[in-house]
């Protein structure tokens, strides 16, 4: 909780430092704003929009597990180059699901990424384009570079979406690699769409040239700071690859790690964090964490949630928010907005004291404001079984 800035809120001037701890996932859309508000005083949507759209000091792009994240622009190499796997096989696993399509086409991932890179400039220059339109335009251009047999498969319906050609779906996958190569990023949402832009145009210049090995090392150090003690397998799951893929990250910092035993299993922590791990931190108060919050991104889930409540907290579709009370995950919450009123339905895992209920209602007011509501109604369900 200390490493995830959940013991006490930081001042608004520290927002970029907080976002840079391990980046902040923004799926479902808007969850990053709530996660930052749980950690930083005075967060508003206008302030975050300014950092992204005008100041350009906060960047959004696809990152770990192919999901959209916010992080400081100054840390972009860590969360782009530092995330990109070093082998084609691992890159395939990171973006997931495109392998059968590539087999049908008889093209490797790196080759189709190369063709996408060759076309992205002419298609996206001086534009902000949603993925549907962008993918269709890129696919049309790439089709002209293929053999007749490949073109037929490329333009045929694929299994990924209704009436979506196979090649267009492949391009969607490839764009995830382009984000990690610092070629494209996400511009602020317009309505329900987060359009793509060329990163170099968005920032008025390319990302600085850095050492990929150093970027991977920094990423792992930040991960271990927020989620250690941890194992190779847990880091791999957080990143979106397999345990056997993470040597290029792990080996670079192996001499900085100390093994520890927890629950009969060996894990590793950064040696410089070991003393702090042994120190007690007081945790009090309530936080309403959104779905996908950095704190619940830990892969050692039993350390923060009783196993019998895991299915309630972590859902593949329609995940709830989490109630953090006095240092414990004490329940889940779901919002429903009607007009200008936001109703928060809280399901505690066990009986909740009147003090915690009062604190929770206080926390709910700024959540409502961030969701565009002027009134908030907090309702409590019976404790979850």
């Amino acid at each position: 909780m200390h490493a995830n800035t959940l013991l006490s809120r930081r001042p608004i001037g520290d927002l970029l430092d907080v976002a840079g701890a391990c980046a902040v996932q923004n799926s479902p859309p808007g969850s990053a704003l709530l996660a930052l508000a749980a950690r930083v005083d005075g967060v508003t949507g206008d302030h975050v929009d300014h950092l992204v759209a005008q100041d350009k000091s906060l960047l959004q792009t696809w990152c770990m597990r192919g999901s959209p994240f916010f992080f400081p622009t100054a840390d972009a190499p860590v969360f782009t180059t530092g995330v990109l796997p070093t082998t084609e096989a691992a890159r395939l696993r990171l973006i997931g699901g495109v392998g059968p399509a590539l087999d049908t086409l008889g093209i490797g991932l790196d080759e189709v990424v190369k063709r996408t890179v060759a076309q992205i400039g002419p298609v996206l220059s001086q534009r902000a384009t949603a993925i549907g339109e962008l993918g269709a335009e890129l696919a049309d251009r790439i089709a002209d570079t293929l053999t007749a047999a490949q073109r037929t498969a490329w333009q045929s319906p694929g299994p990924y979406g209704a009436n979506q050609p196979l090649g267009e779906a492949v391009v969607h996958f490839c764009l995830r690699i382009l984000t990690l190569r610092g070629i494209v990023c996400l511009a602020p949402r317009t309505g329900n769409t987060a359009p793509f832009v060329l990163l170099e145009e968005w920032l008025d210049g390319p990302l600085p040239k850095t050492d990929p090995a150093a970027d991977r090392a920094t990423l792992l150090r930040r991960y271990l700071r927020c989620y250690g003690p941890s194992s190779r397998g847990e880091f791999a799951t957080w990143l979106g690859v397999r345990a056997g893929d993470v040597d290029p990250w792990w080996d670079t910092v192996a001499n900085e790690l100390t093994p520890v035993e927890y629950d009969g299993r060996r894990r590793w922590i950064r040696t410089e964090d070991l003393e702090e791990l042994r120190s007690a931190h007081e945790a009090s108060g309530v936080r309403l964490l959104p779905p996908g919050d950095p704190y619940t991104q830990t892969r050692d889930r039993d350390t923060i949630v009783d196993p019998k409540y895991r299915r309630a907290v972590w859902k593949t579709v329609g995940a709830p928010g989490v109630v953090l009370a006095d240092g414990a995950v004490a329940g889940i919450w779901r919002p429903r907005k009607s007009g200008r009123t936001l109703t928060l339905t809280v399901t505690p895992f066990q009986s909740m004291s009147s003090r915690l209920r009062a604190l929770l209602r206080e926390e709910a007011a700024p959540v409502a404001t961030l969701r565009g509501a002027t009134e908030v109604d907090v309702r409590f369900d019976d404790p979850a079984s």
Side-chain angles (χ1 to χ4, degrees), residues 273-339:
D273 293 335
L274 189 58
E275 190 57 39
E276 189 170 9
L277 179 67
R278 291 170 173 152
S279 302
H281 290 284
E282 292 291 334
S284 63
V286 170
R287 296 286 188 275
L288 292 172
L289 306 184
D293 185 86
Y295 185 64
T296 57
Q297 291 297 320
T298 179
R299 299 300 151 173
D300 185 15
R301 293 173 170 178
D302 290 353
T303 60
I304 65 171
V305 174
D306 188 308
K308 67 182 179 181
Y309 299 125
R310 284 180 55 171
R311 289 187 177 181
V313 172
W314 289 284
K315 293 180 177 293
T316 304
V317 178
V322 164
V323 178
L324 194 62
D326 290 347
V329 174
I332 58 175
W333 63 277
R334 293 186 180 277
R336 180 175 56 83
K337 189 179 177 187
S338 177

Side-chain angles (χ1 to χ4, degrees), residues 21-23 63-64 75 77-84 212-227 235 238-239 249 252-253:
C22 242
C63 193
M64 283 77 69
D75 290 336
V78 176
F79 295 108
T80 55
T81 306
V83 175
L84 186 63
D215 294 331
R216 289 191 293 270
T218 300
L219 180 73
L220 179 55
R221 291 186 189 106
R222 294 192 188 190
Y223 166 83
L224 289 170
R225 172 68 178 167
C226 288
Y227 302 113
F235 172 64
W238 176 81
L239 192 65
W249 288 267
T252 58
V253 301

Side-chain angles (χ1 to χ4, degrees), residues 133-370:
E133 182 181 354
L134 178 60
E137 291 187 35
L138 287 168
D140 284 345
R141 284 175 168 263
I142 294 170
D144 293 337
T145 71
L146 303 174
T147 67
Q150 289 172 334
R151 191 179 307 116
T152 297
W154 184 266
Q155 296 174 334
S156 65
Y160 300 100
N163 302 317
Q164 184 185 51
L166 186 69
E168 187 178 325
V170 169
V171 169
H172 288 196
F173 284 104
C174 290
L175 286 170
R176 299 178 187 272
I177 300 298
L178 268 61
T179 62
L180 299 180
R181 289 179 54 177
I183 296 171
V184 299
C185 65
L186 292 167
R189 295 181 71 85
T190 55
N192 293 323
T193 300
F196 283 89
V197 291
L198 291 176
L199 184 143
E200 187 168 342
E201 289 183 351
W202 180 252
L203 298 180
D204 296 321
L207 295 179
K209 295 294 184 182
T210 56
D211 176 10
D215 294 331
R216 289 191 293 270
T218 300
L219 180 73
L220 179 55
R221 291 186 189 106
R222 294 192 188 190
Y223 166 83
L224 289 170
R225 172 68 178 167
C226 288
Y227 302 113
S230 188
S231 66
R232 287 175 183 251
E234 288 163 351
F235 172 64
T237 303
W238 176 81
L239 192 65
V241 295
R242 294 179 184 172
D245 297 326
V246 302
D247 285 355
W249 288 267
W250 207 271
D251 290 349
T252 58
V253 301
N255 62 350
E256 304 173 19
L257 308 182
T258 293
V260 297
E261 297 292 330
Y262 175 76
D263 197 24
R265 293 175 289 176
R266 171 171 283 201
R267 291 185 174 85
W268 283 260
I269 191 169
R270 294 182 66 200
T271 304
E272 66 179 58
D273 293 335
L274 189 58
E275 190 57 39
E276 189 170 9
L277 179 67
R278 291 170 173 152
S279 302
H281 290 284
E282 292 291 334
S284 63
V286 170
R287 296 286 188 275
L288 292 172
L289 306 184
D293 185 86
Y295 185 64
T296 57
Q297 291 297 320
T298 179
R299 299 300 151 173
D300 185 15
R301 293 173 170 178
D302 290 353
T303 60
I304 65 171
V305 174
D306 188 308
K308 67 182 179 181
Y309 299 125
R310 284 180 55 171
R311 289 187 177 181
V313 172
W314 289 284
K315 293 180 177 293
T316 304
V317 178
V322 164
V323 178
L324 194 62
D326 290 347
V329 174
I332 58 175
W333 63 277
R334 293 186 180 277
R336 180 175 56 83
K337 189 179 177 187
S338 177
R340 302 292 291 174
T341 299
L342 182 71
T343 300
L344 262 59
T345 300
V346 177
T347 305
F349 291 154
Q350 54 189 350
S351 180
M352 186 173 286
S353 69
S354 57
R355 167 185 158 270
L356 289 178
R357 290 182 180 230
L359 291 173
L360 194 151
R361 288 190 171 92
E362 291 179 13
E363 282 288 309
V367 169
T369 300
L370 292 171

